[in-house]
Amino acid sequence: EKFSVVKTLQAIEESNVVLMLLDAQQGVTEQDTHLAGHVLDSGRALVMVVNKWDGLTPPQREKVKEELKRRLYFLDFASWHFVSALHGSGVGLLLKNVQHAYANAVRDFKTNRLTEILESIVTEHQPPMARGRRIKLRYAHQGGKNPPRIIIHGKQTDAVPASYRRYMAKRFHKVLQLSGTPLRVEFRTGGNPFKEKGKRSSKLTPGQKYRLNKKGERSR
Ligand SMILES: Nc1nc2c(ncn2[C@@H]2O[C@H](COP(=O)(O)OP(=O)(O)O)[C@@H](O)[C@H]2O)c(=O)[nH]1
Ligand SMILES: [Mg+2]
């Protein structure tokens, strides 16, 4: 069994998309949670398949779904499927969802769009105070793909609580419809992405440049 775990970890490393199979009649085993943790750390796109769904009554299905939610809550980014290999139900959709998960993992996002989404998320639920001042989150840009990384620039970002970071990642994940891929959100204090990239800032109108610079000065 140890050998098969090593093989599985290797397979995760070598994959573009992980397809993890659970047995609904067995529930979530220790081994499942253990491997699920490795999939999470790997940052791979993930399609979760819960098999033998045919053999369960509606209340049993509810119970299994609750157990999955409770024990594998950290896999909420995955694309979930409840199938029956015996009857073939739900199986036909899997490959399409594997492709979709990968496409999401390597998508490009424009700085403008990410910053707009950031603004709406912050308006919905503002970050807490730190050292007597409200934490400011001003710009967002893409820092990488597979998994997508979103870098958020602002003031006092070292004081952003983990719960707010999770909230932020959840909202971005939902708005960008990133089903199947994890999303990483990182914070940086200072650093204006419009200033860092000369090409981009030259596309701005003089008024926009002025306003951005003014914001930059205030953050010093
Ligand atoms: N009811 C039901 N039984 C299944 C399904 N898929 C596999 N089985 C049965 O489950 C038994 C054990 O197989 P399985 O758990 O898939 O493989 P294993 O864990 O590698 O031994 C076999 O008798 C299969 O026919 C399914 O979707 N529904
Ligand atoms: Mg089995």
Side-chain angles (χ1 to χ4, degrees):
E1 194 167 289
K2 264 221 170 93
F3 182 65
S4 88
V5 172
V6 172
K7 294 292 267 187
T8 306
L9 295 181
Q10 246 170 32
I12 293 170
E13 277 315 304
E14 289 166 7
S15 70
N16 288 316
V17 178
V18 172
L19 201 139
M20 185 168 172
L21 192 62
L22 298 180
D23 184 332
Q25 294 180 9
Q26 223 177 339
V28 181
T29 65
E30 283 297 318
Q31 184 84 289
D32 292 333
T33 4
H34 179 73
L35 287 173
H38 281 287
V39 177
L40 180 73
D41 293 343
S42 76
R44 293 294 186 278
L46 175 63
V47 173
M48 292 298 290
V49 184
V50 185
N51 188 35
K52 306 195 193 178
W53 202 235
D54 59 281
L56 303 180
T57 63
Q60 283 173 326
R61 289 182 177 182
E62 272 317 299
K63 234 184 109 195
V64 171
K65 281 193 169 170
E66 272 167 30
E67 188 193 1
L68 292 168
K69 223 177 187 172
R70 182 167 47 82
R71 300 201 43 205
L72 301 177
Y73 62 90
F74 53 90
L75 299 185
D76 57 350
F77 66 87
S79 163
W80 283 81
H81 302 274
F82 298 86
V83 310
S84 166
L86 188 66
H87 300 138
S89 48
V91 178
L93 282 171
L94 291 180
L95 199 55
K96 258 211 149 57
N97 281 285
V98 166
Q99 287 166 338
H100 188 60
Y102 186 70
N104 278 342
V106 297
R107 265 165 66 191
D108 289 311
F109 303 103
K110 293 212 169 85
T111 299
N112 277 352
R113 172 135 194 255
L114 295 180
T115 299
E116 269 170 33
I117 296 169
L118 172 69
E119 283 165 0
S120 73
I121 295 172
V122 165
T123 304
E124 212 172 76
H125 185 65
Q126 60 181 349
M129 312 274 287
R131 303 172 201 103
R133 281 164 180 267
R134 182 73 55 193
I135 296 170
K136 290 267 175 12
L137 304 175
R138 286 206 167 105
Y139 312 100
H141 77 276
Q142 187 169 11
K145 338 180 184 186
N146 198 16
R149 278 168 53 229
I150 294 177
I151 318 290
I152 296 173
H153 297 257
K155 276 168 76 176
Q156 293 196 302
T157 55
D158 58 315
V160 173
S163 58
Y164 196 81
R165 187 164 52 75
R166 282 196 298 272
Y167 157 72
M168 188 61 73
K170 264 201 176 116
R171 296 294 299 127
F172 266 110
H173 195 271
K174 180 150 195 217
V175 174
L176 295 170
Q177 299 186 285
L178 285 172
S179 172
T181 180
L183 172 70
R184 306 239 155 112
V185 169
E186 295 163 29
F187 295 98
R188 284 190 202 146
T189 286
N192 174 340
F194 293 94
K195 269 186 167 176
E196 281 166 16
K197 301 215 166 128
K199 268 186 197 159
R200 235 170 243 178
S201 76
S202 68
K203 279 188 199 146
L204 299 172
T205 66
Q208 282 173 322
K209 271 189 198 165
Y210 172 72
R211 282 192 293 277
L212 283 171
N213 283 335
K214 233 171 61 176
K215 279 183 188 167
E217 269 163 31
R218 267 193 270 133
S219 73
R220 257 176 238 133

